[in-house]
Amino acid sequence: METPLRESNLNPDPIEQFVRWYTEVEKQSVDMYDAMTLATADASGMPSARMVLLKGFDKDGFVFYTNYSSTKAQELEANPRACLVFYWKEVQRQVRIWGTVEKVSREESEAYFQTRPYDSQLGAWASHQSSIIPDRNVLEKRFEELTQKYPENKVPLPDFWGGYRVIPAVFEFWQGRPSRLHDRIKYTKKDETWEIVRLAP
Ligand SMILES: Cc1cc2nc3c(=O)[nH]c(=O)nc-3n(C[C@H](O)[C@H](O)[C@H](O)COP(=O)(O)O)c2cc1C
């Protein structure tokens, strides 16, 4: 499906424009519509990118959850800026979002953690994400021990795990069009308003 991005029907607020596109891919059950690439960079400027899942968004930003000791967390500690990329193949759309990053409140992480399946809760405890482990057994043994330690519905939020919020400063919406004459619309936050420009594809 190809729907042109026209200046005449763009929402002046990029979050509202994102809501419009996100609602469409959600409704159409586009494959992994909630998966996004998260790009960070370390203190030397070396970039790093990986997939994470979008777990919530609103006017304040875009939230994902992870381990606060992971490589991405260390990079965000040194350089609290990130870029997110969504690609929705079925509708030929890409969205890029640049912004600054903050941890979400413990209350927010706690509320989200309690909605996760039991296995995922134990998985968060079991994995010291991004650290070197000697073999897979270590992980499975730890998981087994955790099932003894924490019964279902009684798994506390690990203090090394929680959410981050990307607070957007720039958005780019890309719509694939015939002859590679794609639409690209960029929103940049200027004070409290959003400046909108069209970019060559
Ligand atoms: C589709 C997909 C979704 C993922 N979602 C998450 C996620 O929400 N949070 C997370 O910590 N890792 C997620 N991962 C794993 C990350 O890509 C990555 O391997 C992990 O977070 C460690 O990254 P780091 O060493 O750069 O910190 C996901 C991987 C895939 C393929």
Side-chain angles (χ1 to χ4, degrees):
M1 191 194 73
E2 176 233 321
T3 320
L5 257 184
R6 294 193 202 291
E7 281 77 350
S8 56
N9 61 17
L10 279 177
N11 197 299
D13 181 340
I15 310 253
E16 291 302 324
Q17 183 65 35
F18 185 86
V19 170
R20 194 184 287 172
W21 276 20
Y22 200 75
T23 309
E24 287 177 19
V25 289
E26 196 171 21
K27 238 191 256 160
Q28 293 173 41
S29 304
V30 162
D31 200 24
M32 307 219 62
Y33 65 89
D34 55 349
M36 55 192 186
T37 300
L38 163 74
T40 53
D42 68 14
S44 77
M46 175 61 85
S48 180
R50 78 291 282 156
M51 302 301 296
V52 292
L53 296 179
L54 179 68
K55 290 298 177 185
F57 68 91
D58 59 19
K59 61 174 181 32
D60 296 326
F62 294 78
V63 175
F64 63 90
Y65 286 87
T66 194
N67 182 299
Y68 283 154
S69 308
S70 63
T71 300
K72 74 181 87 48
Q74 291 170 30
E75 294 188 352
L76 288 170
E77 189 66 38
N79 175 14
R81 284 171 287 192
C83 183
L84 303 173
V85 186
F86 292 87
Y87 174 50
W88 298 312
K89 182 170 183 281
E90 292 88 335
V91 291
Q92 282 300 295
R93 287 177 178 171
Q94 171 180 257
V95 181
R96 303 164 75 189
I97 302 166
W98 291 256
T100 52
V101 182
E102 287 177 356
K103 283 183 178 168
V104 308
S105 69
R106 285 318 275 163
E107 294 70 32
E108 194 172 340
S109 290
E110 176 73 46
Y112 169 68
F113 190 75
Q114 294 311 331
T115 68
R116 283 169 68 89
Y118 180 54
D119 280 11
S120 309
Q121 292 179 334
L122 294 184
W125 273 102
S127 169
H128 301 308
Q129 194 177 53
S130 311
S131 65
I132 295 171
I133 49 174
D135 55 38
R136 194 180 165 82
N137 287 341
V138 174
L139 213 52
E140 289 174 357
K141 188 161 168 276
R142 206 180 284 151
F143 189 92
E144 191 46 44
E145 286 163 5
L146 285 160
T147 59
Q148 306 302 316
K149 187 167 180 189
Y150 299 124
E152 208 155 343
N153 299 321
K154 297 240 167 355
V155 189
L157 171 69
D159 58 5
F160 54 80
W161 197 94
Y164 285 100
R165 176 172 282 107
V166 179
I167 301 155
V170 177
F171 284 76
E172 185 197 304
F173 292 84
W174 184 99
Q175 172 69 64
R177 300 286 306 276
S179 311
R180 304 206 170 267
L181 298 181
H182 312 305
D183 291 323
R184 288 179 68 193
I185 300 290
K186 184 176 177 186
Y187 293 75
T188 306
K189 198 164 195 180
K190 296 270 158 76
D191 302 317
E192 282 316 297
T193 61
W194 291 93
E195 176 193 274
I196 303 177
V197 295
R198 178 176 285 268
L199 303 177

